[in-house]
């Protein structure tokens, strides 16, 4: 359970004062810009070699963020026609560090006991993900019209589902080129950016574990327009999905009600069998998932 100072959510960039670069590190082409559309500061990370152009929290590998919230929110936009890479180092209750990476460079899901690599598919249209050919068409560099995205990662579920490990806390974040980042946030709550505070009260969303996005974390929505018409919302793993959970992509316009169960994903027997093979991997060399 997150400490009191991390509840109900923690604005990571604000708390760690990322703009001062004392508790964070930057390498290569990293710059703070004012984004006219978002009406605020964003960080642009660009360069042809992701490993040489990045923003990292905390500053060194010997430090730890120590953030225990179940969900990590990443507000970002991949750069059009470019690739990006993001690494998250998380600690398990067994005192093991696992790296969770996702990138448009990855062609397939790979797994070892200490590293999960997920392809990130940009610009997925609803209803177009039912078969492998459709997913392959979405792989690769971000499209020209790629949108600002709210990515919600359920860290305990990822560790439980793919490695049968119990989540402890988020240790570090490394954002590599090429992308724009507005903010990072951790929380035990599911935030729905598409509802207002008044709508949330009327619908009593709190009883379903859903809350409106905090104002300091929100993307602006002009009067008369809808959030989901302007931006992408991706929750991973997603409840009720028929996909094989081998990539991160948009599959629904908004969040579902949250479960207190740290394993909210219902898997088919075929997928369970495939994942059981991954769990049996003992070699340190990354191997492709059997599908």
């Amino acid at each position: 359970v997150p400490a009191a100072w991390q509840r109900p959510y923690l604005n990571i960039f604000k708390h760690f004062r990322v703009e001062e670069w004392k508790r964070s590190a930057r390498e290569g082409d990293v710059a703070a810009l004012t984004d006219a559309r978002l009406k605020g500061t964003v960080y642009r990370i660009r360069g042809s070699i992701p490993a040489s152009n990045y923003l990292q929290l905390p500053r060194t590998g010997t430090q730890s963020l120590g953030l225990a919230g179940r969900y990590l929110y990443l507000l970002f936009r991949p750069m059009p026609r470019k690739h990006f890479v993001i690494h998250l180092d998380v600690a398990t209750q067994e005192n093991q560090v696992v790296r969770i990476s996702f990138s448009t460079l990855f062609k397939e899901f790979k797994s070892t006991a200490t590293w999960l690599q997920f392809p990130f598919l940009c610009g997925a249209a609803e209803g177009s993900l039912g078969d492998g050919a459709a997913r392959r068409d979405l792989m690769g560099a971000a499209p020209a019209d790629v949108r600002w995205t709210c990515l919600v990662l359920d860290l305990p579920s990822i560790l439980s589902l793919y490695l049968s490990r119990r989540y402890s806390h988020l240790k570090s974040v490394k954002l590599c080129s090429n992308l724009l980042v507005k903010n990072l946030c951790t929380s035990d709550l599911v935030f729905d950016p598409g509802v207002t505070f008044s709508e949330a009260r009327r619908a009593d969303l709190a009883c379903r574990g859903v809350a409106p996005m905090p104002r300091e974390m929100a993307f602006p929505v002009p009067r008369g327009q809808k959030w989901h018409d302007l931006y992408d919302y991706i929750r991973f793993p997603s409840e009720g999905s028929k996909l094989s959970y081998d990539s991160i992509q948009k599959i629904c316009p908004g969040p579902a009600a949250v479960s207190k169960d740290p394993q909210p994903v219902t898997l088919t027997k075929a997928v369970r069998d495939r994942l059981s093979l991954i769990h049996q991997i003992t070699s340190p060399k990354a191997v492709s998932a059997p599908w």
Side-chain angles (χ1 to χ4, degrees):
V1 177
W5 62 275
Q6 298 182 28
R7 298 195 299 262
Y9 67 91
L10 185 83
N11 181 333
I12 296 177
F13 278 9
K14 182 178 179 180
H15 180 82
F16 291 96
R17 298 177 182 174
V18 70
E19 75 281 356
E20 296 180 4
W21 304 112
K22 293 178 181 177
R23 302 167 74 184
S24 58
R26 57 177 168 173
E27 183 73 30
D29 192 349
V30 180
L33 309 171
T34 298
D35 188 281
R37 179 174 183 179
L38 298 192
K39 300 179 175 64
T41 300
V42 301
Y43 292 89
R44 183 189 65 198
I45 307 161
R46 64 182 181 180
S48 57
I49 304 175
S52 301
N53 300 274
Y54 60 82
L55 187 162
Q56 177 179 290
L57 283 155
R59 187 174 182 85
T60 69
T62 57
Q63 300 169 313
S64 175
L65 295 174
L67 301 178
R70 173 175 175 174
Y71 300 101
L72 174 67
Y73 292 80
L74 173 62
L75 307 178
F76 80 114
R77 180 176 182 251
M79 287 189 179
R81 302 185 177 90
K82 302 284 187 181
H83 290 283
F84 75 88
V85 182
I86 292 176
H87 302 296
L88 311 173
D89 285 346
V90 301
T92 71
Q93 292 186 19
E94 298 82 12
N95 294 317
Q96 183 181 45
V97 176
V98 174
R99 170 158 284 192
I100 300 171
S101 301
F102 51 99
S103 174
T104 49
L105 285 168
F106 299 156
K107 296 293 189 290
E108 60 187 356
F109 169 70
K110 293 185 179 181
S111 169
T112 72
T114 57
W115 198 358
L116 297 171
Q117 299 178 23
F118 296 97
F120 188 96
L121 278 56
C122 295
E126 288 181 56
S128 65
L129 306 172
D131 59 75
R135 289 202 296 275
R136 283 194 297 273
D137 290 343
L138 294 168
M139 287 185 174
D145 59 350
V146 63
R147 304 203 291 187
W148 278 95
T149 298
C150 176
L151 174 63
V152 188
L153 297 175
D154 185 341
L155 298 176
S157 288
I158 292 173
L159 284 186
S160 176
L161 180 63
Y162 291 96
L163 294 174
S164 297
R165 297 289 183 182
R166 294 178 298 161
Y167 178 69
S168 174
H169 61 271
L170 176 65
K171 189 172 184 291
S172 68
V173 177
K174 192 171 186 178
L175 309 169
C176 306
S177 58
N178 292 273
L179 46 78
L180 296 166
V181 183
K182 173 179 167 62
N183 217 330
L184 290 162
C185 166
T186 56
S187 179
D188 275 345
L189 300 173
V190 171
F191 294 125
D192 185 344
V195 300
T196 65
F197 284 84
S198 59
E199 288 171 343
R201 282 193 298 270
R202 285 198 302 270
D204 195 19
L205 292 181
C207 69
R208 293 195 286 132
V210 178
M213 182 69 78
R215 288 185 175 89
E216 63 181 306
M217 300 295 297
F219 291 147
V221 179
R223 185 179 297 275
Q225 294 188 271
K226 295 182 179 180
W227 193 97
H228 290 290
D229 292 336
L230 303 172
Y231 310 108
D232 283 346
Y233 183 99
I234 300 174
R235 182 172 162 191
F236 184 82
S238 178
E239 294 182 292
S241 170
K242 296 180 181 179
L243 301 180
S244 300
Y245 300 98
D246 56 356
S247 59
I248 298 176
Q249 57 194 276
K250 180 183 177 183
I251 56 173
C252 63
V258 64
S259 164
K260 292 183 179 179
D261 185 346
Q263 302 181 62
V265 183
T266 301
L267 300 175
T268 65
K269 182 179 184 302
V271 174
R272 284 200 305 272
D273 291 344
R274 291 164 182 166
L275 289 173
S276 69
L277 294 176
I278 300 172
H279 296 162
Q280 296 167 17
I281 294 171
T282 56
S283 168
K285 183 181 178 181
V287 299
S288 300
W291 62 90

